[in-house]
């Protein structure tokens, strides 16, 4: 009862409120009406008064002149079409009444009216044309809107050192190196170069693009390295290496975009190594000197892998009589004591994760005073993971111009625009669309109910021989899956950001050397890690964004081999991710399951979202941008996390 009475009271109240507001509204209306009446009365009064013809003509001419002036102003205003529209109608009405009122006026008045009518008709015609034009460029308007959103979310300032920012220094010329392409290659005409790039499906944008070179020998790579590469099954350069290596050897800044497993690591590691050899030959590095170059990676595992590759090549060179090149690994979770022998001798190259690198620079363990080469591997992922500020701080330590290389398989327009501003006359090398999946991977997407996933996983594991990687976004789920597999007798290890460094290293090592068949991982292991011959990648759930998906499935099908990727989806997946997935599958000419085909959309299949590269939506409804904004509003600076980069 009390509830009821209160609701009655509420309704009475609301009714009262409604009636009050209605009364006040009405009172307002009445006031308005009164003022309207007053105006009408005035008009009537005006009309009933006698005005001599001469005065009436003068007033009429003035009124027409005012109307024309007003019409012109309204016509000028591009943004106010509806006002224009209304203005046009009003003008037409006024013209009409004016015509009737002036029928028995003298000739001067009639010709003025005629002129005004012609002008008004012309304006109406122009207005129609304008409206038609506006209608046609609806797409352009959308592109404009998207551009504005992108600008609003672009990085705030370019990557530059403190000194450069403070003094407003900006370099205009790329760094000069002693490397030259062989004469017969330099003699190539522009048409020949374009044809060659077309042959290899390479897009290279920029001023004076260095030549594409089809073999390692013509790139003047030392024979001992060529032999070493051969021993690893690397006979000819991949597309990104054909264009990326000569570009880096020439000292040019570049953005390299090529699909997963296409050999990007060699494309940025070999040039830094060759520069180090050259420098060491000129004047040996002593204790306290270095580094000459830096490679920054988003995860410890990726940094270690790149470090090991560089170390191996440095040893080959040293063994062949070239000077020693010191490489320092600078990552979280390891004691720097084991690196002190490198630090104590002077070193040329640092391979690092952003957090530990920043820490070392802050503590003045070494400086970037003579650093002239910087590579950001998986640059876009690094920014996504929230390392942008760390990278900016690190940039602050540079004292001179450096060559900057950014590499990734995914590089949405957002990052590219920002990077192009920070680089000096950069060359952008693209092998395929940024964010496209590696075509050597067979992608299978299956609808699996949440509660059936674990049992189905066992079945799906039978599809190929080991090694297999199972990805899950959730650290607890990673542990649960590993436990389940162990209980079922599957040799499985697990890796994620909350594991200790020893556990992470043990997992990687035992999986890499074949002692374990399955590795269960969160996104940490998807970032650039190169495990030999992964047969099958299983996404236990659809990753939050399509870039993550591309990187995850990219752990298989590497170095030209084929691989299989299976992804479990169900109703818990976001529709926007599923649409991106649908278009990615279509682009890669893969089978699209009916439940994905059935998802209707209005704008997919275009050039993709400029923020995340997804093909199923535009930046105006990008779920990743949405998440980022929510995080920013909540005061988090970090990205999608899961890295453990420090
Ligand atoms: N020219 C080549 N020919 C054959 N194999 C190659 C060549 N270059 C590199 N590889 C091999 O291909 C594999 C993938 O290379 P890499 O790790 O550099 O790929 P990536 O493009 O960096 O991939 P991701 O985007 O996933 O990081 C490695 O095992 C590497 O040894």
């Amino acid at each position: 009862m009390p509830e009821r009475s209160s609701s009655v009271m509420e309704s009475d109240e609301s009714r009262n409120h409604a009636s009050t507001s209605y009364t006040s509204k009405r009172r307002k209306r009445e006031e308005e009406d009164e003022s309207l009446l007053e105006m009408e009365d005035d008009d009537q009064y005006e009309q009933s008064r006698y005005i001599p013809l001469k005065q009436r003509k003068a007033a009429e001419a003035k009124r027409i002149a005012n109307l024309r002036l007003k019409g012109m102003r309204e016509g000028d205003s591009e943004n106010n079409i509806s006002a224009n529209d209304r203005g046009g109608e009003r003008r037409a009405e006024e013209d009409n009444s004016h015509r009737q009122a002036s029928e028995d006026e003298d000739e001067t008045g009639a010709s003025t009216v005629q002129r005004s009518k012609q002008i008004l008709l012309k304006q109406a015609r122009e207005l129609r044309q304008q409206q038609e034009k506006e209608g046609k460029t609806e797409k352009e308007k959308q592109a404009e809107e998207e551009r504005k959103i992108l600008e609003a979310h672009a990085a705030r300032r370019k990557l530059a050192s403190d000194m450069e920012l403070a003094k407003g220094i900006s370099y205009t010329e790329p760094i000069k190196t002693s490397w030259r392409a062989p004469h017969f290659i330099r003699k190539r005409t522009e048409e020949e170069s374009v044809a060659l790039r077309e042959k290899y499906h390479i897009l290279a944008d920029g001023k004076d693009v260095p030549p594409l070179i089809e073999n390692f020998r013509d790139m003047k790579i030392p024979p001992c390295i060529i032999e070493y590469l051969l021993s690893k099954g690397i006979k000819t350069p991949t597309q990104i290496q054909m264009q990326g290596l000569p570009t880096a050897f020439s000292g040019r800044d570049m953005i390299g975009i090529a699909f997963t497993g296409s050999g990007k690591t060699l494309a940025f590691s070999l040039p830094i190594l060759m520069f180090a050899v050259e420098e060491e030959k000129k004047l040996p590095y002593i204790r306290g000197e270095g580094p000459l170059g830096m490679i920054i990676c988003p995860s410890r595992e990726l940094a270690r892998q790149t470090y090991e590759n560089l170390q191996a090549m440095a040893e080959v060179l040293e063994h062949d009589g070239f000077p020693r090149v010191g490489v320092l690994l600078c990552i979280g979770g390891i004691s720097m004591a084991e690196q002190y022998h490198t630090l104590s001798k002077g070193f040329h190259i640092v391979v690092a994760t952003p957090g530990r690198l920043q820490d070392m620079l802050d503590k003045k363990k070494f400086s970037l005073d003579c650093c002239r080469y910087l590579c950001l591997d998986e640059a876009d992922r690094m920014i996504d993971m929230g390392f942008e500020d760390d990278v900016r701080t690190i940039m602050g330590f540079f004292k001179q111009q450096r060559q900057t290389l950014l590499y990734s398989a995914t590089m949405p327009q957002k990052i590219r625009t920002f990077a192009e501003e920070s680089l000096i006359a950069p060359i952008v090398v693209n092998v395929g669309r940024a964010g496209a999946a590696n075509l050597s991977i067979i992608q299978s997407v299956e609808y699996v109910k949440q509660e059936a996933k674990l049992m189905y996983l066992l079945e799906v594991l039978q599809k190929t021989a080991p090694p297999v990687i199972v990805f899950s976004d959730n650290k607890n789920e990673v542990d649960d899956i590993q436990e389940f597999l162990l209980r079922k007798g599957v040799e499985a290890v697990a890796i994620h950001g909350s594991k200790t460094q020893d556990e992470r290293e043990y997992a990687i090592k035992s999986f890499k050397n074949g002692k374990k068949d399955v590795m269960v991982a969160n996104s940490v292991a998807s970032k650039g890690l190169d495990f030999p011959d992964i047969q099958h990648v299983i996404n236990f759930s659809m990753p939050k964004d399509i870039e993550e998906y591309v990187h995850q499935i990219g752990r298989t099908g590497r170095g030209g081999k084929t691989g299989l990727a299976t992804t479990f989806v169900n109703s818990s997946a976001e529709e926007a991710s599923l649409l991106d997935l649908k278009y990615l599958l279509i682009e890669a000419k893969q089978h699209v399951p009916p439940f994905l085909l059935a998802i209707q959309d209005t704008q997919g299949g275009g050039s993709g979202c400029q923020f995340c590269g997804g093909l199923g939506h535009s930046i105006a409804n990008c779920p990743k941008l949405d998440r980022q904004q929510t995080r920013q509003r909540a005061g988090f600076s970090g990205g999608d996390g899961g890295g453990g980069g420090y």
Side-chain angles (χ1 to χ4, degrees):
M1 269 304 268
E3 264 184 349
R4 199 179 142 77
S5 66
S6 90
S7 77
V8 169
M9 270 169 64
E10 259 176 39
S11 64
D12 280 344
E13 250 180 45
S14 54
R15 220 176 297 139
N16 281 342
H17 175 75
S19 73
T20 324
S21 63
Y22 170 68
T23 321
S24 71
K25 257 190 215 154
R26 210 187 45 208
R27 206 172 293 136
K28 209 164 161 230
R29 260 318 263 282
E30 279 167 5
E31 279 164 19
E32 279 170 12
D33 289 346
E34 269 168 29
S35 63
L36 223 109
L37 276 171
E38 272 169 29
M39 278 166 64
E40 278 170 13
D41 285 352
D42 273 2
D43 277 352
Q44 278 165 8
Y45 176 68
E46 284 287 324
Q47 275 167 16
S48 61
R49 261 192 329 174
Y50 170 72
I51 298 162
L53 180 67
K54 214 172 172 185
Q55 265 184 39
R56 285 210 312 268
K57 270 193 210 164
E60 195 59 34
K62 197 175 163 196
R63 196 174 74 90
I64 291 165
N66 279 345
L67 275 174
R68 279 168 60 185
L69 199 72
K70 202 171 168 203
M72 271 156 70
R73 278 203 208 111
E74 281 174 353
D76 278 348
S77 156
E78 273 184 20
N79 300 331
N80 201 350
I81 301 154
S82 56
N84 245 341
D85 200 354
R86 284 196 299 276
E89 280 170 15
R90 206 171 48 238
R91 279 195 299 277
E93 274 171 29
E94 279 163 349
D95 180 34
N96 210 16
S97 64
H98 167 77
R99 190 165 49 84
Q100 281 176 11
S102 310
E103 258 171 7
D104 45 11
E105 292 287 346
D106 64 15
E107 267 181 44
T108 328
S111 69
T112 315
V113 172
Q114 189 58 27
R115 261 203 317 278
S116 126
K117 187 184 161 197
Q118 280 169 0
I119 290 163
L120 290 172
L121 282 173
K122 191 171 166 239
Q123 282 176 351
R125 209 168 35 242
E126 280 170 5
L127 184 68
R128 246 196 324 275
Q129 281 169 356
Q130 167 94 357
Q131 279 174 324
E132 275 168 20
K133 203 170 138 209
E134 291 283 339
K136 266 185 217 155
T137 58
E138 200 50 49
K139 263 203 160 145
E140 281 169 27
K141 273 202 266 175
Q142 192 184 335
E144 174 78 358
E145 192 188 325
E146 289 182 7
R147 192 181 54 76
K148 279 185 189 153
I149 300 175
L150 186 67
E151 271 172 15
H153 293 91
R156 291 137 293 160
R157 58 189 165 89
K158 63 181 189 176
L159 291 175
S161 78
D162 289 347
M163 183 193 70
E164 289 154 11
L165 288 171
K167 294 189 180 170
I169 300 172
S170 64
Y171 307 102
T172 50
E173 290 300 311
I175 281 193
K176 299 252 179 305
T177 64
S178 60
W179 184 89
R180 292 281 169 281
H183 185 63
F184 70 92
I185 288 177
R186 275 187 281 145
K187 267 189 2 199
R188 253 187 228 148
T189 63
E190 187 53 31
E191 290 72 35
E192 286 170 333
S193 296
V194 169
L196 209 53
R197 282 190 201 109
E198 267 176 21
K199 176 180 163 189
Y200 290 108
H201 309 287
I202 298 168
L203 286 175
D205 274 344
K207 207 173 140 225
D208 302 328
V209 179
L212 176 154
I213 303 184
E214 291 169 284
N215 62 65
F216 291 124
R217 201 181 12 117
D218 291 343
M219 293 181 196
K220 304 184 182 173
I221 291 169
C224 61
I225 292 288
I226 296 182
E227 253 177 56
Y228 166 78
L229 293 178
L230 263 175
S231 75
K232 298 268 166 201
I234 301 175
K235 299 184 194 103
T236 52
T238 60
Q239 293 137 296
I240 190 68
Q241 292 164 354
M242 284 183 196
Q243 186 62 66
L245 281 168
T247 303
F249 285 144
S250 307
R252 300 295 300 269
D253 282 3
M254 76 169 271
I255 300 176
I257 304 157
F259 53 90
T260 53
S262 58
K264 295 186 285 292
T265 314
L266 187 70
F268 60 75
S269 302
L270 201 48
I272 197 173
L273 196 61
M274 300 317 302
F275 292 141
V277 167
E278 198 177 313
E279 282 293 298
E280 182 67 16
K281 260 190 199 165
K282 276 194 229 156
L283 197 63
Y285 273 47
I286 57 160
R287 183 190 168 91
E289 284 188 320
L292 162 85
M294 264 190 331
I295 299 174
I296 309 182
C297 308
S299 76
R300 299 169 188 176
E301 284 75 17
L302 182 54
R304 184 177 281 282
Q305 178 185 283
T306 306
Y307 163 78
E308 283 168 2
N309 282 340
L310 270 167
Q311 272 285 52
M313 287 195 284
E315 276 167 26
V316 168
L317 283 168
E318 196 176 351
H319 197 255
D320 204 55
F322 285 89
R324 179 198 77 91
V325 172
V327 189
L328 183 82
L329 177 65
C330 182
I331 57 173
I334 63 165
S335 147
M336 285 314 286
E338 64 179 84
Q339 297 285 308
Y340 273 128
H341 66 281
T342 313
L343 268 169
S344 64
K345 279 191 204 163
F347 59 97
H348 306 81
I349 303 169
V350 175
V351 186
T353 47
R356 175 56 72 95
L357 177 60
Q358 194 189 322
D359 188 38
M360 296 288 276
L361 290 169
D362 282 341
K363 289 181 180 154
K364 298 196 169 29
K365 297 283 182 203
F366 55 84
S367 78
L368 299 185
D369 292 1
C370 44
C371 193
R372 282 189 284 117
Y373 186 101
L374 169 70
C375 175
L376 301 183
D377 190 12
E378 313 270 338
D380 59 323
R381 313 303 295 149
M382 204 125 62
I383 289 171
D384 266 358
M385 288 167 74
F387 289 133
E388 185 178 338
D389 286 342
D390 297 272
V391 173
R392 282 186 190 287
T393 314
I394 292 161
M395 294 300 296
F397 286 91
F398 278 96
K399 292 287 181 315
Q400 54 183 309
Q401 186 181 348
R402 66 253 139 218
Q403 180 182 4
T404 311
L405 289 87
L406 308 185
Y407 267 96
S408 190
T410 49
M411 190 83 77
Q413 191 57 43
K414 173 190 81 149
I415 311 273
R416 242 180 301 167
T417 311
F418 149 72
E420 279 168 23
E421 278 170 22
S422 309
L423 272 46
I424 296 137
I427 306 292
V428 183
V429 182
N430 250 289
V431 181
R433 182 185 69 85
N438 179 343
L439 299 179
S440 309
I441 305 168
I442 300 161
Q443 300 175 59
S444 158
V445 179
E446 304 197 27
Y447 193 95
V448 189
K449 280 190 180 162
Q450 198 61 27
E451 58 277 14
K453 275 184 177 177
L454 276 175
M455 287 315 287
Y456 192 57
L457 176 64
L458 279 183
E459 201 175 306
V460 168
L461 275 175
Q462 310 299 319
K463 278 194 194 173
T464 67
V468 177
I469 301 187
V470 181
F471 280 115
S472 160
D473 259 357
N474 183 302
K475 291 175 193 173
N476 294 332
E477 198 172 60
V478 167
D479 290 334
D480 292 347
I481 298 169
Q482 184 205 14
E483 203 186 308
F484 172 80
L485 291 177
L486 287 174
R487 273 195 276 116
K488 297 289 171 190
V490 179
E491 290 285 347
V493 281
I495 178 172
H496 55 68
S498 299
K499 295 257 179 201
T500 65
Q501 189 59 27
D502 282 350
E503 285 170 329
R504 283 162 76 154
E505 274 172 23
Y506 167 78
I508 298 264
K509 220 174 182 172
S510 54
F511 184 62
K512 221 168 191 171
N513 64 23
K515 285 198 178 129
K516 301 287 175 184
D517 290 339
V518 176
M519 187 166 89
V520 192
N522 73 347
S523 56
V524 161
S526 75
K527 303 214 167 47
L529 279 188
D530 182 48
F531 299 107
D533 302 323
I534 299 289
Q535 300 296 309
H536 192 180
V537 167
I538 301 168
N539 290 320
F540 198 72
S541 42
M542 178 66 196
K544 274 200 298 290
D545 58 72
I546 201 72
E547 296 154 287
E548 200 69 58
Y549 171 85
V550 168
H551 281 275
Q552 284 184 191
I553 64 165
R555 295 317 95 204
T556 186
R558 301 176 69 77
K561 299 180 189 107
T562 49
L564 174 67
T566 304
T567 302
F568 295 170
V569 300
N570 56 35
S571 53
S572 66
E574 279 183 44
E575 189 163 298
S577 318
L578 294 180
L579 274 173
D580 288 345
L581 179 59
K582 168 174 152 179
Y583 284 103
L584 193 85
L585 293 176
I586 294 171
E587 180 189 49
K589 299 192 169 55
Q590 298 290 305
H591 169 71
V592 185
F595 63 88
L596 276 189
L597 279 176
I599 305 177
Q600 292 301 320
D601 68 307
T602 49
Q603 53 175 332
S607 57
C609 169
Q610 302 199 321
F611 192 80
C612 76
L615 291 173
H617 63 270
S618 75
I619 189 168
N621 51 3
C622 172
K624 185 172 170 183
L625 176 59
D626 227 40
R627 279 199 298 273
Q628 198 193 72
Q629 284 173 331
T630 312
R631 261 200 315 269
Q632 274 168 357
R633 274 195 297 273
F636 294 117
S637 63
D640 287 343
Y646 180 69

